[in-house]
Amino acid sequence: MMLGDFEITALLDGTHPFPVHEVMTRNMPGIAGAKPSSGKLADVKPGEADALLAAVDLKAPVEGSINAFLINTGNRLILIDSGAGSLYGACCGNLIRNLEASGYKPEQIDEIYLTHLHADHVGGVAPNGKMAFPNATVRASKVDVDYWLSKTNENAAPALLHAMFEGAMASLKPYIDAGRLKPFDNGAELSAGIRAIPAPGHTPGHSFYEVVSRGQKLVLWGDIVHVGPIQFPDPAVTVAYDSDGALAETQREAIFADAAQNGYWVGAAHVAFPGLGHVVAKGTEFTWIGANYTTVLAAPAK
Ligand SMILES: [Zn+2]
């Protein structure tokens, strides 16, 4: 689609069965002043996930998309997230093939902005440890870079997340060696019309990218949603991969409300491909309105 002067291309890296019952969680009220603890959604609210999925004719495990987005500003090519590369196995790692099918070559990419350093976002920069974008500079929040590239943090983190540390370290290594990993400070404008917005919770340095051209706005929001049919109607549902579940919930509720109120475009990493659409509020619940697919590349109406 066109967003003002910018061409936005959604790129599918692959889909994989998302283990809803195992990894979806929910914050539980804690003792006053203490961090809330979280429990498995299936224990805290038995039946909720299955009922919400059944309402849209799905059942667990749900195939989850891994989306990335290419922004052609007219003079720069900027990739937002990079898929899983070789880190998720045969399901995924199709980003480059789909980039080429869209008419671009990996060597043309100028910059890659990562929403966070989880495997399915960073892995595609270096499948099998080899730099896939030989001319690109990789940008990510300094907070996430400092967190995920630390062995000390890996040792202190839950076992579930250890592979994420290893994946981030291996994927970024060739870029670090080449001097082409450039962490940014929170809130930085990275390119004309593209700004990083700190949205910590899912990871410590998780970032949104706000893209604006000719008054039209798109917010690429990384991992605010993992299973749309569950988390739009109930934004309190979290995932076991959240570094801080309570903060992740707060970010989700805030950005859903903001997106619904302001009506801008949203690009989501794990909403069913292409993951472009709008959010509307329905009382205290939210609904995702997917973009109407068209083969005519024209400015969106909104
Ligand atoms: Zn993630």
Side-chain angles (χ1 to χ4, degrees), residues 85-271:
S86 53
L87 297 174
Y88 270 33
C91 68
C92 305
N94 299 303
L95 180 121
I96 293 197
R97 228 171 330 152
N98 287 329
L99 177 77
E100 287 172 341
S102 307
Y104 296 99
K105 295 190 173 76
E107 53 269 31
Q108 292 177 299
I109 304 299
D110 297 297
E111 293 189 292
I112 301 165
Y113 301 165
L114 301 171
T115 56
H116 62 299
L117 298 188
H118 279 167
D120 50 330
H121 299 258
V122 68
V125 302
N128 302 306
K130 280 210 214 94
M131 191 185 272
F133 301 94
N135 299 308
T137 297
V138 175
R139 312 286 321 261
S141 155
K142 186 174 186 313
V143 178
D144 242 33
V145 170
D146 289 347
Y147 180 75
W148 294 103
L149 297 188
S150 156
K151 271 278 170 197
T152 310
N153 291 339
E154 179 179 347
N155 293 335
L160 172 82
L161 294 177
H162 287 189
M164 296 288 191
F165 285 88
E166 299 295 325
M169 290 174 197
S171 303
L172 291 174
K173 187 176 185 305
Y175 295 86
I176 296 169
D177 291 348
R180 287 203 272 108
L181 172 66
K182 292 203 174 142
F184 57 76
D185 290 320
N186 276 338
E189 185 174 53
L190 302 179
S191 177
I194 308 177
R195 193 163 64 91
I197 300 172
H202 180 60
T203 67
H206 182 267
S207 303
F208 300 144
Y209 294 103
E210 181 192 85
V211 185
V212 178
S213 178
R214 292 196 183 272
Q216 297 187 338
K217 177 164 145 180
L218 163 72
V219 177
L220 298 166
W221 69 17
D223 279 10
I224 276 294
V225 170
H226 287 83
V227 182
I230 295 175
Q231 290 170 299
F232 283 109
D234 188 356
V237 176
T238 50
V239 288
Y241 310 110
D242 288 333
S243 285
D244 182 334
L247 192 52
E249 178 188 334
T250 303
Q251 294 286 3
R252 182 165 35 260
E253 288 159 355
I255 197 68
F256 279 7
D258 188 65
Q261 196 184 338
N262 294 300
Y264 49 73
W265 281 94
V266 171
H270 301 310
V271 167

